[in-house]
Amino acid sequence: PTATVSAQVPAITVQPQPRTVIVGATTNFTVTATGQAPLRYQWRLNGVNIPRATNATYTIANAQAIHSGVYSVLVANSNGAVLGARVTLSVQTPPTIVNHPQDRLVPPGETAIFTVTAQGSSPLRYQWRYNGANMDGETNAILTISNVQTNKEGQYSVQVLNLYGTTNSQPATLTVRSVPIIAVQPQSTNEFTGSSVSFHVTAFVTAP
């Protein structure tokens, strides 16, 4: 009799398996158990019962970061209960760009800096491009171009990658021009109401 009763206690024959999914995906955990019917199921997230998660399969639609954690299931009947293995759901995010590189106007010989701000599951990787071609060794969130000359003019963009996706920034234009130098500033003046007034400035700059 003892063996008969013991045989009717729930036993898990197939444990749920860990999952790694991209944000927005649908996934599920499934358990297979034996024992005297009816079997009852209660899924848990981080040790807390999940409302209405009372079937042998628990489905998560539109997975988000809040769904990440440790899942387990309690299988019970009138003779006892058994707790399944603790398995992890990891919800990962493809990269997205928050702040794109901005256009730069730089005098010859100066330094031009382009930056990008991205978010997504770590690690994020970067690849800067010049006029669509990959730039050797430029794999950080900041691109620094020293001693710029007119041959560096063009469009700069960056590709951001992680294990779950890729995104490309909008292109930013680098323009190399001499900055105007003001030699003679306009001067303050006092005039009578209704009279004409002129202001003058003298500046030097490489045309145009």
Side-chain angles (χ1 to χ4, degrees):
T2 302
T4 302
V5 172
S6 176
Q8 299 305 307
V9 173
I12 294 177
T13 57
V14 180
Q15 296 280 2
Q17 298 299 308
R19 296 279 186 265
T20 298
V21 298
I22 295 175
V23 65
T26 296
T27 189
N28 62 66
F29 293 104
T30 299
V31 67
T32 303
T34 60
Q36 181 176 318
L39 294 176
R40 301 186 304 276
Y41 304 87
Q42 177 58 65
W43 289 92
R44 299 172 172 177
L45 171 58
N46 297 328
V48 178
N49 288 350
I50 303 171
R52 297 179 298 278
T54 54
N55 296 311
T57 297
Y58 174 56
T59 299
I60 302 166
N62 189 25
Q64 301 295 319
I66 60 171
H67 296 117
S68 294
V70 178
Y71 287 78
S72 59
V73 60
L74 184 73
V75 185
N77 63 11
S78 58
N79 298 317
V82 61
L83 183 64
R86 292 160 53 88
V87 292
T88 300
L89 173 62
S90 179
V91 181
Q92 303 293 335
T93 307
T96 56
I97 294 177
V98 180
N99 295 310
H100 291 262
Q102 300 298 306
D103 294 346
R104 292 287 182 263
L105 174 61
V106 180
E110 296 296 324
T111 298
I113 297 176
F114 293 100
T115 63
V116 66
T117 305
Q119 61 187 15
S121 297
S122 298
L124 292 176
R125 294 180 290 126
Y126 304 87
Q127 177 59 64
W128 286 91
R129 294 171 171 173
Y130 172 54
N131 292 335
N134 288 349
M135 301 175 67
D136 291 340
E138 299 299 346
T139 55
N140 297 309
I142 299 175
L143 171 65
T144 301
I145 307 170
S146 302
N147 188 27
V148 294
Q149 303 297 329
T150 53
N151 63 351
K152 297 295 185 181
E153 289 186 319
Q155 291 194 326
Y156 292 81
S157 60
V158 60
Q159 184 180 63
V160 186
L161 314 88
N162 65 10
L163 295 174
Y164 310 100
T166 302
T167 187
N168 296 303
S169 77
Q170 298 170 1
T173 301
L174 174 61
T175 304
V176 181
R177 292 288 186 275
S178 295
V179 222
I181 300 172
I182 295 179
V184 180
Q185 297 280 357
Q187 301 299 310
S188 301
T189 184
N190 293 311
E191 302 293 341
F192 292 107
T193 303
S195 63
S196 298
V197 62
S198 296
F199 293 96
H200 300 277
V201 65
T202 304
F204 300 97
V205 67
T206 302

